[in-house]
Structure formats: structure tokens, C-alpha cells
Amino acid sequence: MQTKRVRPTQRASVLQQGARVKTVVTVEIPAGVEAILSSAGYTDERLAEETQRALALVLFQRKVLSLDQAARCARMPLWAFIPWLGEHGMAVAEYDEAELQRELDTARWLIGQQAL
């Protein structure tokens, strides 16, 4: 795992073409830690994937990104991102008591409509 230098993308031309904008972030890992990660099976690709997902989780938690945006940032389909958040202790939605009661009332009403 060596530090690789990448030239910044010409954002204006990339945006005009409708392509993705790529931001390169360099993470410096001390040599001792690098050996431990390597022996645990961490490749550059795995570290990049997990770092990107961790960033998406934090940005969703801080309400910087919506659920859909965070899933795209994590490069995961929404249907896989939602349970992944749960596995990491994150709730997808936060309800206060009044909102939760309205949701439960709506669910009960819908169930009643199906019985008719």
C-alpha cells in the first residue's frame, strides 16, 4: 500500500460531460499499522471501499446527505444500504412520539382497509 499521486480532475469539463466527479483523498497509514492491515487481508481496494462507506455513514448521520445520496456515496443499492446502516447501529428514520403514533395509526387504518 503505497501513496499514489493523482492529478486533480478538471472538474468543469467533467461536469459538462455529465460524468462523475472524482475526488481523491489520501490516507496516510503508519508502516506498523499497514503491516497489521495487510495481514488481516486489507488491500488498497478494500480500504477504499470501507472508507467510502464509512464516509457515507457519517455524512448521513450528520444529516449532510439524504438516505439515497448516502447510499450512492457508499456505492451501494438503497435496498442493501438500509440494512447495512442497521448493522452499524444507525436508524434510517427518527420519529418523535407523535410522529410514531401517526405512523402506527396509518398502518392500523391500512390494515383495516384491506380487511374490507
Side-chain angles (χ1 to χ4, degrees):
M1 288 185 250
Q2 298 176 347
T3 302
K4 297 171 185 137
R5 301 275 181 203
V6 179
R7 297 179 114 190
T9 304
Q10 294 292 329
R11 290 180 181 257
S13 63
V14 171
L15 290 174
Q16 289 172 354
Q17 296 170 7
R20 282 188 156 174
V21 174
K22 184 174 185 174
T23 301
V24 177
V25 177
T26 302
V27 178
E28 293 184 31
I29 300 173
V33 174
E34 180 184 19
I36 293 166
L37 292 174
S38 182
S39 68
Y42 279 88
T43 61
D44 288 345
E45 292 78 18
R46 183 174 173 192
L47 282 172
E49 178 182 297
E50 289 192 22
T51 301
Q52 190 156 356
R53 289 182 178 182
L55 176 64
L57 184 144
V58 169
L59 294 176
F60 175 71
Q61 182 180 39
R62 293 180 182 174
K63 298 180 179 16
V64 174
L65 297 179
S66 69
L67 181 62
D68 180 61
Q69 292 166 336
R72 287 188 285 135
C73 180
R75 293 186 161 190
M76 296 175 73
L78 186 59
W79 58 265
F81 186 66
I82 291 171
W84 182 84
L85 284 175
E87 291 167 11
H88 291 85
M90 279 290 304
V92 173
E94 296 177 4
Y95 293 104
D96 62 28
E97 286 188 44
E99 290 172 316
L100 182 57
Q101 189 58 51
R102 281 193 299 276
E103 290 291 326
L104 291 171
D105 291 345
T106 300
R108 288 185 189 109
W109 180 82
L110 289 170
I111 290 169
Q113 293 298 310
Q114 290 177 355
L116 299 177

